[in-house]
Each structure stands twice: as C-alpha cells, then as structure tokens.
Amino acid sequence: LVGQKIERYPKLVERIVAEGHMLGNHSYSHWSFKRMTTRKKLNEIHSTDALLSAFDGRLHHRMRPPHGYVGADLLCYFAMHRRSFVYWSYDSLDYQDHPTRVMVDRLRADPPSPGDIVLMHDDSDRARDALAVLLPEWLRDGHAFRALPQEAR
C-alpha cells in the first residue's frame, strides 16, 4: 500500500486486515526511487511502515519499490537489516491503456505460471474487470492462490 493512500482510505486498510490479507509497503508517495537520495527513500519506507503498523502491529512490512526500481543502496540496507523485497515475476500490463477484453485475451493466451507473483494495479478498473472474468476460469482449471509468508517481525 502507498502511504498517502493509507492516510486517505483507512477504512479500506481495516477491511484488508479484517479479511486476512498481508499488508505490504509500496512507499509513501509512489514516486520513483531512481532519483531519490537514500535518506528520502528510507523516509518513504519508514513512514509507510509506521502507518501500516497502526493497522497490523507489525514493525516492518515486505516492500515493493515504486516502478520496480531498487538500487544498490536499498539492496544493501535491506540485506543489513534482514528485510525483504517482494517483486513480481509476471507483469499483467494492466497499466496499458487497452480495453479490458484485450488484457483478458492476453492473460488467457499466456497465463501466469505456478508460483508467479502477478503485478496488477488498483488505479483503473482494468485489473478488477479482468479478474472478474479470469479468476473463476482459473479456479475451475485448478489454479490455487496463496499468500506470501509474513516477513519476520
């Protein structure tokens, strides 16, 4: 979750936790880390961890950096502090401005493989609408969905 969105939609975060989902850190502002100083990146991460902690009591949360950019500085910091990133292995391309049916057709033709972490976004209806079609099909075909394990406290 993005910190600014956590502040804007706290009831949604409460619902996410109540439904048993793991909270993850996606920075405070969602600006690319590519041109940020290390201090600014860490402020983005720590601010969001603090916001998330108010909902689930965890001090640290798995992190997915905005736009997928990590950088050597964060890799070193996370390694030294025994923290982990979550990255995707399958890009749904839901951010492309195509009709939902195009996304559905593409995902049917080349579906995620077992164990994939699928990148999707909640800033348009495309992912939601595509999943409304595909999830029942995938479940019928025997696909199973699992949560990632929590990061150690």
Side-chain angles (χ1 to χ4, degrees), residues 13-135:
V13 182
E14 289 172 1
R15 179 179 163 198
I16 291 167
V17 172
E19 291 182 7
H21 300 285
M22 177 180 72
L23 298 178
N25 185 329
H26 195 37
S27 82
Y28 182 78
S29 68
H30 198 265
W31 286 98
S32 175
F33 281 9
K34 197 169 210 167
R35 292 183 179 84
M36 277 188 200
T37 65
T38 302
R39 180 181 306 267
K40 174 69 174 151
K41 292 175 203 175
L42 292 175
N43 284 340
E44 291 258 334
I45 293 165
H46 295 314
S47 296
T48 303
D49 269 341
L51 289 168
L52 292 169
S53 183
F55 294 93
D56 67 3
R58 300 183 67 80
L59 296 178
H60 303 290
H61 300 82
R62 290 185 181 269
M63 168 67 182
R64 184 171 74 79
H67 311 281
Y69 181 80
V70 177
D73 57 345
L74 280 188
L75 284 175
C76 290
Y77 179 86
F78 270 58
M80 288 175 21
H81 291 88
R82 296 178 176 255
R83 294 209 43 193
S84 61
F85 291 100
V86 172
Y87 221 75
W88 65 89
S89 55
Y90 183 96
D91 188 349
S92 73
L93 304 176
D94 65 335
Y95 46 83
Q96 293 181 343
D97 195 20
H98 298 296
T100 301
R101 66 177 166 69
V102 172
M103 183 177 163
V104 168
D105 290 346
R106 186 180 60 254
L107 291 172
R108 276 185 182 136
D110 184 24
S113 298
D116 273 340
I117 296 174
V118 179
L119 176 65
M120 289 188 150
H121 299 83
D122 63 359
D123 56 356
S124 81
D125 294 337
R126 278 186 295 278
R128 183 199 65 209
D129 293 347
L131 288 172
V133 172
L134 292 168
L135 282 177

